[in-house]
Amino acid sequence: MLVAHTSTGKRISLHTGYSKEELRSIQKSSGFYCPQCNEKVQIKAGIMKIWHFSHVPGVTNCTLSRGESMYHLLGKKLLYEHVNKEFPNALLEPFFPDISQRPDIWIPPQIPIEFQCSAIPSPILIERSKGYISRGMTPFWILGKKRLKTLSSTTFQISSFDWLTARISSVNHLPSLYYFCPVEAKVYHLSSIVPVTSTRVYGKLDSYPLCEYSFQTPHHLQPSKRDSPLFQVKSWLNAKKQWRLHAFKQNHQTYRQLKILFFKNHSTLTYFPSEAGMPVPFAYTLKEPSFIWQSYVLLYSIIPVQIGESIQFSSVFNHMKWLIHKKIITLRELPLIADVHYSFAVMHYLNLLCFYGIIKRVGKKEFVKIRDPVFPNTMDQALANDFILMESGVKHGVNILFSGKM
C-alpha cells in the first residue's frame, strides 16, 4: 500500500514527497497504521523497490495484508500520477468505511479506479463492484497487461475473472476490457469483444501511451472508426470447423446431454446443423459456445414441433431457463453490465432462424415452423452448408458482426 495514517489520524501518502528520514522519524514518533484494519504497518523504503507500507508479520485478518507485487505498485503509482494531472482532486488509496473498501485511485465524486493484476475469488470482486455501485459510483477496473494472451491480431484469450470487469461500449453495445502495462507505460483497450468459446474471443486491441490517455472520457464511450466489429467470415467458419472436429471429445454433462439428443435424432454432435453455431448479439451473456446453446434451442424447441405449428418465445425461453437451472448452460457473470439478459441472445437467434426459413414470425413473440434444420451427413456437406449460410447472412446484412470478406 502507498497510503497509511499515523496514530493521530494524519494521512501519509508516499506520493507526496516525504524523504526517507522524515518517514523514519514519523514512524518512530507516532507509527503508521493501516487505513482499513488499523493494525500497525511499517515503511519499506529501500533503493531497489518502490517505497510502500506493509503489515507487520502476523496480521492476517486484513485484505491489505496479502502484499502487492512491484508490478502492481508501479502500475498504481504511474496511473495515479497521470490521473492527478487531469484531476488534481484525485485521491490515492482513499478508504470508504461504510463499505470497508479502498480503491487504488478515486476521482471524486463517482469513479473509483482499481488496478488488478492477479486473480482474486470472483465473489470478492463482484462484492467490491456492488459496494461501489451502492455508493452511486461506477468502478473502473484496469487489469494488468500480463493477464491478456494474444493469439492473433484479432483473437485473444481472456479468463472468466477478466470478464467480471467488462464494460459495454455505448457505440456498438459490445463488451470491452482495459489493461495497463506499467513497464511500457501503456493502456490497452480490448473492444468489440465477440466470444468464440468460454475463454477465446475476437476483439480489437488498441494501445495508448499513458501520457496521451485521457480519463476524462473513457474510450468505451468514444466513437471510433475501429468500433465496427467486422471480423472476417472465414475466422468464424474456421471456429465452426474446429467445433465439428473436436467437440465430440468433450465429456462435460453439457456435451453428454447434447450427444444423447443428437443420437435420438439419428445424428452426432460433429454434424450439428449449420443453422447452429451462429454469432448473434448478446451471446456474450452465455459461457457456452454458440453451437452448444443454439443446438439445444433447435433440439428442444424447434425440431419436436410439427411444421405449421406455433412456437411461442416463452416456450423457447423456458427451455433455456431449465437448462440454466440444471447447470447445463451457464450464464456469464457480468456485474458491470446492466440492462442485458440472455433472452436477448435467444430472440436474436430466433430472428436469424426466420431469415434462414426455419421459422416465420407471426406475432411479436410468436413464430410458426416452416421447415426442419438440415443435419449434414458428411464433413464436406457440413462445411459447405456452414459457408453458404454465413455468406448469405452477411450478404443480406443479417449478421452484423462479420464482414463479407471470405
Side-chain angles (χ1 to χ4, degrees):
M1 71 183 78
L2 301 177
V3 173
H5 64 73
T6 65
S7 58
T8 61
K10 182 179 179 181
R11 175 183 165 90
I12 303 294
S13 171
L14 296 181
H15 187 265
T16 51
Y18 287 98
S19 68
K20 184 186 295 187
E21 290 70 25
E22 288 175 315
L23 291 169
R24 297 292 187 197
S25 175
I26 296 172
Q27 180 168 263
K28 186 175 181 179
S29 62
S30 57
F32 295 121
Y33 297 85
C34 173
Q36 182 163 319
C37 67
N38 289 318
E39 292 287 348
K40 209 163 193 178
V41 295
Q42 54 194 350
I43 182 67
K44 299 287 187 177
I47 60 174
M48 299 298 293
K49 296 181 178 180
I50 295 171
W51 291 7
H52 61 285
F53 296 105
S54 69
H55 284 76
V56 297
V59 176
T60 59
N61 61 345
C62 179
T63 58
L64 303 183
S65 65
R66 300 188 185 100
E68 299 169 281
S69 68
M70 287 300 110
Y71 185 88
H72 182 223
L73 287 169
L74 176 60
K76 180 161 50 174
K77 178 177 181 292
L78 293 177
L79 285 169
Y80 175 73
E81 289 172 352
H82 180 69
V83 168
N84 193 239
K85 292 175 184 176
E86 284 192 280
F87 303 92
N89 62 337
L91 290 177
L92 181 65
E93 297 180 354
F95 180 64
F96 302 125
D98 55 327
I99 57 174
S100 296
Q101 289 179 213
R102 181 214 61 165
D104 290 324
I105 303 164
W106 181 42
I107 303 176
Q110 291 183 315
I111 306 176
I113 298 174
E114 292 274 18
F115 180 48
Q116 191 68 38
C117 298
S118 59
I120 58 176
S122 297
I124 293 179
L125 188 141
I126 293 172
E127 183 181 355
R128 286 184 186 176
S129 293
K130 288 181 177 179
Y132 294 130
I133 292 170
S134 71
R135 287 182 113 251
M137 299 189 291
T138 304
F140 188 2
W141 291 88
I142 302 175
L143 301 167
K145 175 61 167 54
K146 291 179 179 180
R147 300 190 57 78
L148 180 63
K149 184 176 181 180
T150 301
L151 303 178
S152 74
S153 61
T154 59
T155 311
F156 306 87
Q157 185 170 311
I158 59 177
S159 70
S160 57
F161 177 82
D162 290 16
W163 271 105
L164 295 173
T165 70
R167 304 162 71 95
I168 282 293
S169 166
S170 61
V171 179
N172 59 24
H173 307 292
L174 288 172
S176 63
L177 292 166
Y178 290 87
Y179 296 86
F180 177 60
C181 176
V183 178
E184 299 175 332
K186 283 186 178 181
V187 176
Y188 290 83
H189 182 208
L190 181 62
S191 63
S192 301
I193 297 174
V194 177
V196 183
T197 68
S198 60
T199 58
R200 189 154 51 92
V201 302
Y202 293 129
K204 299 184 183 297
L205 186 65
D206 293 296
S207 64
Y208 307 87
L210 181 60
C211 61
E212 298 176 9
Y213 188 82
S214 172
F215 284 86
Q216 294 279 0
T217 306
H219 283 73
H220 68 278
L221 301 177
Q222 298 177 8
S224 166
K225 64 180 181 180
R226 288 175 55 86
D227 274 331
S228 180
L230 297 180
F231 302 104
Q232 292 188 11
V233 172
K234 65 180 181 182
S235 59
W236 193 268
L237 290 174
N238 183 62
K240 291 189 77 168
K241 181 179 179 179
Q242 296 306 310
W243 290 333
R244 294 189 183 282
L245 290 173
H246 301 292
F248 74 92
K249 302 174 186 176
Q250 301 295 324
N251 200 36
H252 185 272
Q253 72 157 342
T254 299
Y255 290 81
R256 290 199 306 269
Q257 181 69 18
L258 200 53
K259 290 175 187 177
I260 293 171
L261 290 172
F262 274 110
F263 179 77
K264 290 179 178 179
N265 283 272
H266 312 288
S267 187
T268 67
L269 181 55
T270 296
Y271 297 138
F272 63 84
S274 292
E275 291 88 352
M278 305 300 286
V280 294
F282 302 103
Y284 61 81
T285 57
L286 299 163
K287 276 190 177 181
E288 280 68 31
S290 61
F291 85 98
I292 293 291
W293 67 265
Q294 290 172 12
S295 289
Y296 273 113
V297 169
L298 293 176
L299 292 165
Y300 272 130
S301 303
I302 306 297
I303 291 174
V305 177
Q306 296 295 313
I307 292 175
E309 288 188 356
S310 172
I311 298 173
Q312 300 290 335
F313 174 75
S314 58
S315 174
V316 182
F317 175 69
N318 284 335
H319 277 134
M320 282 291 289
K321 194 174 178 181
W322 178 82
L323 289 166
I324 291 168
H325 175 71
K326 292 295 183 179
K327 298 183 179 180
I328 294 172
I329 298 297
T330 314
L331 296 181
R332 181 171 273 121
E333 292 183 291
L334 302 164
L336 300 183
I337 299 179
D339 303 322
V340 297
H341 196 269
Y342 68 91
S343 61
F344 300 174
V346 176
M347 180 59 85
H348 275 280
Y349 181 53
L350 294 180
N351 290 337
L352 198 59
L353 292 181
C354 287
F355 171 77
Y356 289 128
I358 302 293
I359 57 178
K360 178 182 178 181
R361 183 186 290 275
V362 294
K364 186 176 180 180
K365 294 186 177 181
E366 183 180 3
F367 306 84
V368 168
K369 182 174 176 179
I370 304 299
R371 67 171 179 86
D372 279 312
V374 177
F375 287 92
N377 296 313
T378 67
M379 183 63 76
D380 286 343
Q381 183 185 359
L383 298 179
N385 289 348
D386 291 345
F387 182 92
I388 291 169
L389 290 187
M390 282 291 288
E391 182 183 43
S392 175
V394 172
K395 180 179 179 182
H396 291 87
V398 175
N399 200 323
I400 61 174
L401 299 178
F402 288 79
S403 72
K405 297 178 182 179
M406 303 301 288

